[in-house]
Amino acid sequence: KSEVDRITSFPADAEEPQVQEMTTRRQVIQLALHGDVSERTLKELANRLKDDLSSESGISYISVGGVRDYEISIEVSEDALRTYGISLDQVTLAVRRGSLDGPGGSIETDDEEILIRTEGQNYTGDDFRNIILLARPDGTTVRLGDVALVRDGFQVSDLITRFDGERTALLEIYRSSDERVLDIVDVIYEYVDAVALPAGVEI
């Protein structure tokens, strides 16, 4: 932390660096969440279970594996660009500007310093489809969805995870150096026995 605090060349609008001590983690148990459901359903369910288990005392770190990362692809139609008189550079700039999440400076008071952020990060296909590319004087707008096919899906990858022949998401539970394995396992088994899962999904 002392070394980082001595750095004076950070940009003026950069937020204060967050310094954390790295702790040793060892895997305790792995849960296979599987069923005859879509990949998106399985990943969303795995993330919900991760959030539930992370709130339990004695469990400090859980990761979701075995599923592909989300990816939004934007396929722009040249014909649509010509129709509306928009260039590909304009589309790129609008997407970049319409999906910002970054520092915006700070306000200092007598008691504290308040950091300001712009939170405009887009996360879903619908968010991107609604980005305005062109606003006309008559009030009509051209949105990204008018000139491009926006796919809200997953990264193209060779990753295949199966359990009993079914699509699977893995919940990997770790312990830090001061957490007890048996305590974590007890919490996990109790949670697994009580959790309500959609039809066709099992742990």
Side-chain angles (χ1 to χ4, degrees), residues 60-76:
S60 61
Y61 188 78
I62 302 173
S63 68
V64 174
V67 285
R68 296 180 293 168
D69 291 332
Y70 291 122
E71 179 180 80
I72 293 177
S73 65
I74 301 171
E75 297 174 18
V76 181

Side-chain angles (χ1 to χ4, degrees), residues 48-183:
R48 183 181 64 103
L49 267 57
K50 174 189 170 184
D51 291 343
D52 288 350
L53 285 168
S54 296
S55 66
E56 298 283 345
S57 61
I59 300 177
S60 61
Y61 188 78
I62 302 173
S63 68
V64 174
V67 285
R68 296 180 293 168
D69 291 332
Y70 291 122
E71 179 180 80
I72 293 177
S73 65
I74 301 171
E75 297 174 18
V76 181
S77 162
E78 287 185 33
D79 291 339
L81 290 181
R82 279 194 291 271
T83 300
Y84 292 108
I86 299 171
S87 71
L88 188 57
D89 287 341
Q90 285 176 289
V91 173
T92 303
L93 187 60
V95 169
R96 189 175 293 127
R97 285 183 177 162
S99 185
L100 288 175
D101 189 358
S106 63
I107 299 172
E108 291 187 26
T109 67
D110 293 337
D111 301 324
E112 61 186 339
E113 180 180 18
I114 301 168
L115 297 177
I116 300 171
R117 289 189 66 86
T118 59
E119 292 192 353
Q121 179 70 44
N122 291 319
Y123 292 102
T124 68
D126 285 338
D127 291 340
F128 281 93
R129 286 183 200 98
N130 286 315
I131 291 175
I132 295 174
L133 302 178
L134 182 65
R136 296 194 175 107
D138 65 359
T140 60
T141 58
V142 178
R143 298 178 186 271
L144 183 61
D146 297 326
V147 301
L149 178 62
V150 180
R151 286 195 176 95
D152 195 345
F154 294 90
Q155 287 182 355
V156 176
S157 128
D158 295 332
L159 177 65
I160 298 172
T161 311
R162 295 283 187 264
F163 184 88
D164 280 349
E166 295 181 318
R167 182 178 282 121
T168 303
L170 301 173
L171 286 159
E172 298 165 347
I173 296 95
Y174 295 82
R175 74 174 180 92
S176 61
S177 55
D178 59 345
E179 292 171 341
R180 296 185 65 238
V181 172
L182 295 179
D183 291 344

Side-chain angles (χ1 to χ4, degrees), residues 25-42:
R25 294 191 182 107
R26 294 181 186 270
Q27 189 171 337
V28 173
I29 194 169
Q30 186 178 70
L31 302 178
L33 186 67
H34 61 99
D36 186 19
V37 292
S38 71
E39 185 174 8
R40 181 174 295 278
T41 298
L42 205 58

